[in-house]
Amino acid sequence: MTASPDALRQAPLYRVLHALAKGETSSEALTGACLAAIARDGNLNAWAWVDAAGALAQARASDERRAEGKPLGRLDGVPIAVNDNFDVAGMPTGLGLPGHPGLAEHDAHAVRRLRGAGAVFLGKTTIDEAAFGTVGRNPHHGDVRNPVLPDRAAGGASAGAAAAVAAGHAVAALGSDTLGAARIPAAFCGLVAHKPTFGEISCRGMAIGLRRLDCPGLITRTVQDSALLLPVLNGYDAGDPRSRKRRVPLAPPDWVPGELKAGVVADLSALGVDAAVVENFSAVMARVAPVFGSALPVALEVAPLEVAATRRAALLLMEAEILAAHEPRLDGASTRLRWLLDFAQRKTATDYARAAQRLDEHVIMVRRLFEQFDVLLLPTVATPPPAFGADEPANLADLTALASLAGCPALSLPLPNGLGLQLVGAPGSDLRLLELGQILASVADTGE
């Protein structure tokens, strides 16, 4: 039995793994189909760097291991996309900035874990300039187009990663998520995104955005795919000062549907969420209500969290860190980015201390919220995807930032028209969140 490589490149990860294991296709054939699609879809501008020869060599090596009965990794032969802010040995890490930074000598820790699992690296995907944006805009390399909603923005900053998976250029993608950079484009492009608990996946070899919030993000077609990737990537890394050293494994998926307490934001409109998003969220909540049985949702007033103001404090810290970490490469930066960085330079050390203190206060407030419920449900984005080329909405990341600022895991499920349903859990509850996400995806119209 054979399976079409062109169909498999658009299939979920678990289906691709099955096809490779059963000999329905080869990694070389699948990788070749992905590379052909990348070449055809150049108008999407999803890729900053493509290593066709290297990818095909990796694919052939995987096929040889399989044919010879050698040990295989958990992702052996699967074509993967990597955000252009992770180091991949032999490829440049462009960070969406002008110029050529030279080739990376070593893999980022997350990339090394994927390589050890046998993944095939197709290349690096386009990101917003310095990974600082939410709509996939890059003045140096061109904006990323949305393959699902062509007249709408692709989201950002992991824009190319989401566009590549949505277009069938790759089976899954390693993106980044500091304040929503994986979840926003995943929603806009009709995909699943998982931002793990802060520190669960090492950030070593990932270009700095804001170290206290930076997090690799998984962009996949289904929740089950994210559940397959997380065990490959998570784990303690002594080379990352923020890596979590666990005494026990991630909390097991032991929730009992029907007994879960869900927190639901009661004041979405007051947070500036678009009326169409509020209406869509209410309809989705009505569909998923049976999952929670007699456990009534806890209506939360999140306005006291002042997420928008705390997000702006985080952006100030992010601007300062980008300047400190990447200053030698910023000479050709856009006027927009230079203006943001100049603003940060005009602030004082006291301003930065106050911003950091505000983020600490947010962490404590969110911890207290999770004393009331098991999972928080809210939209992924505050507005539908803006038109391609339109101004970037100021509040696009407000809802994703709530989890990021507190170090919580978050999962975004796709909804029609570029919207998303977001699940946020307490730190360490990633496996439980993924299990619940699969249940909700089965009863809601998530478009998986």
Side-chain angles (χ1 to χ4, degrees):
M1 179 179 180
T2 60
S4 164
D6 214 45
L8 283 174
R9 68 180 175 83
Q10 302 178 75
L13 171 59
Y14 64 82
R15 172 68 183 104
V16 171
L17 289 170
H18 177 84
L20 289 169
K22 292 292 186 180
E24 296 174 15
T25 191
S26 68
S27 177
E28 184 176 5
L30 178 57
T31 300
C34 290
L35 291 169
I38 292 170
R40 285 195 302 269
D41 297 338
N43 62 303
L44 295 179
N45 204 35
W47 294 85
W49 179 271
V50 177
D51 181 15
L56 288 170
Q58 294 169 57
R60 284 192 289 269
S62 174
D63 290 336
E64 289 171 4
R65 287 193 295 273
R66 200 177 295 274
E68 295 170 6
K70 292 182 177 179
L72 299 175
R74 283 180 279 183
L75 301 175
D76 226 289
V78 177
I80 297 289
V82 178
N83 240 26
D84 197 23
N85 55 347
F86 287 89
D87 288 341
V88 178
M91 300 185 194
T93 305
L95 193 56
L97 293 168
H100 194 296
L103 304 181
E105 295 183 5
H106 306 286
D107 288 336
H109 187 270
V111 172
R112 183 165 62 85
R113 297 294 289 263
L114 291 170
R115 193 185 297 277
V120 172
F121 299 114
L122 297 163
K124 310 288 285 297
T125 47
T126 307
I127 60 176
D128 289 68
E129 184 183 27
F132 203 135
T134 57
V135 292
R137 184 162 297 156
N138 192 298
H140 313 293
H141 309 296
D143 298 350
V144 178
R145 302 300 301 242
N146 187 329
V148 178
L149 301 170
D151 61 336
R152 297 288 160 180
S158 302
V165 176
H169 297 172
V171 177
L174 174 65
S176 62
D177 195 314
T178 299
L179 285 166
R183 285 164 286 162
I184 294 169
F188 284 4
C189 293
L191 300 167
V192 170
H194 175 210
K195 186 205 85 69
T197 298
F198 178 74
E200 289 295 347
I201 300 177
S202 172
C203 288
R204 179 156 56 100
M206 172 181 160
I208 292 171
L210 175 51
R211 287 172 295 174
R212 67 175 288 165
L213 302 183
D214 284 343
C215 189
L218 313 180
I219 299 177
T220 60
R221 294 194 175 91
T222 70
V223 179
Q224 186 175 344
D225 291 350
S226 293
L228 290 169
L229 285 173
L230 181 62
V232 173
L233 291 165
N234 84 297
Y236 175 66
D237 174 20
D240 179 355
R242 291 161 186 81
S243 181
R244 292 163 62 93
K245 191 168 188 177
R246 289 191 160 275
R247 295 179 179 174
V248 295
L250 283 167
D254 57 359
W255 281 337
V256 178
E259 298 179 9
L260 287 172
K261 286 187 177 180
V264 179
V265 178
D267 50 352
L268 286 173
S269 298
L271 294 176
V273 178
D274 186 272
V277 175
V278 175
E279 181 179 357
N280 174 276
F281 179 71
S282 298
V284 170
M285 286 307 302
R287 290 198 296 274
V288 304
V291 172
F292 300 97
S294 59
L296 298 176
V298 179
L300 298 173
E301 300 290 338
V302 299
L305 290 177
E306 297 184 315
V307 175
T310 306
R311 180 181 61 82
R312 287 193 291 272
L315 290 176
L316 174 60
L317 296 174
M318 188 173 180
E319 291 155 8
E321 291 222 33
I322 289 174
L323 189 62
H326 310 297
E327 189 169 17
R329 296 200 53 209
L330 295 172
D331 287 344
S334 69
T335 301
R336 168 189 172 271
L337 182 59
R338 287 301 332 181
W339 183 85
L340 292 170
L341 301 182
D342 288 346
F343 174 79
Q345 284 185 306
R346 294 194 297 271
K347 294 296 182 177
T348 67
T350 303
D351 292 325
Y352 293 111
R354 287 173 178 154
Q357 181 180 4
R358 186 179 191 105
L359 267 63
D360 288 342
E361 292 168 351
H362 178 89
V363 171
I364 293 170
M365 286 190 287
V366 172
R367 284 178 181 171
R368 290 172 179 165
L369 286 181
F370 275 99
E371 294 173 357
Q372 305 174 52
F373 51 80
D374 299 302
V375 60
L376 172 62
L377 301 176
L378 69 166
T380 302
V381 286
T383 72
F388 181 78
D391 291 340
E392 186 173 0
N395 66 336
L396 202 52
D398 279 0
L399 301 182
T400 51
L402 188 149
S404 296
L405 294 166
C408 293
L411 181 69
S412 177
L413 306 179
L415 297 173
N417 303 314
L419 302 180
L421 172 62
Q422 187 178 191
L423 290 68
V424 179
S429 65
D430 297 70
L431 297 182
R432 291 169 170 169
L433 208 62
L434 290 167
E435 181 192 50
L436 179 59
Q438 291 185 63
I439 294 171
L440 296 186
S442 70
V443 298
D445 183 12
T446 65
E448 273 195 15

